[in-house]
Amino acid sequence: MAHVEPSLAFENFRGRLSRKERIVMRTRYGRTEAYAIVNPYRGPISENRKPIISAFSQAVQQCKAEMSDAARLTYWQDRYAQYCKLARRSTTRANIQFIGTNTDKYYCTLRGFIIASLSVQLRKNPA
């Protein structure tokens, strides 16, 4: 007898149904979850936030290029393995050493680690 897993139409659904919809679907770590956007800020972006947003968007684009290059991906995987090893003892110390920030946030994915590292570099050296 075969094992059958029926597929539902909304099983792989992600995003919103329309622009005005407040419920968003996403898949994290193999599980689909829904969350509601509550009180989104609709005002103008302050001048202090613009360089941070710009650095983050550049970091995301640069991360995509870094992950598509096999040699750079190997470099980042090694660096992330060292980060994870040190983060088991002290997340703050690992962030100071590998990313350059003094936070206790643990980056649980390689992509998040790369983006955080690149965005800190871009904020320090804008050009």
Side-chain angles (χ1 to χ4, degrees):
M1 199 178 288
H3 179 74
V4 177
E5 291 184 21
S7 178
L8 301 174
F10 57 86
E11 184 176 344
N12 295 321
F13 181 74
R14 70 172 195 219
R16 295 189 257 184
L17 292 174
S18 69
R19 280 188 355 176
K20 295 181 181 180
E21 181 69 40
R22 291 180 161 254
I23 297 177
V24 181
M25 303 285 286
R26 70 178 176 200
T27 303
R28 295 281 187 241
Y29 309 110
R31 295 188 335 199
T32 302
E33 51 188 42
Y35 64 95
I37 299 174
V38 181
N39 299 327
Y41 179 73
R42 299 196 189 283
I45 298 171
S46 73
E47 293 300 319
N48 294 338
R49 293 288 304 157
K50 287 181 181 178
I52 295 168
I53 293 169
S54 174
F56 180 79
S57 65
Q58 288 176 3
V60 170
Q61 292 172 353
Q62 195 173 348
C63 174
K64 186 175 181 181
E66 296 270 327
M67 290 183 82
S68 64
D69 182 17
R72 293 299 293 170
L73 182 60
T74 303
Y75 164 78
W76 284 109
Q77 287 172 336
D78 293 341
R79 191 164 166 84
Y80 182 65
Q82 294 170 358
Y83 166 80
C84 291
K85 186 176 179 181
L86 182 59
R88 279 186 229 131
R89 286 186 254 143
S90 172
T91 307
T92 305
R93 197 164 35 163
N95 286 339
I96 291 169
Q97 183 175 342
F98 288 97
I99 296 175
T101 60
N102 190 11
T103 64
D104 62 346
K105 177 176 173 47
Y106 175 70
Y107 295 95
C108 58
T109 63
L110 176 63
R111 183 176 182 272
F113 173 76
I114 295 171
I115 291 171
S117 301
L118 294 175
S119 64
V120 167
Q121 289 174 7
L122 288 169
R123 278 187 273 152
K124 287 182 180 177
N125 304 322

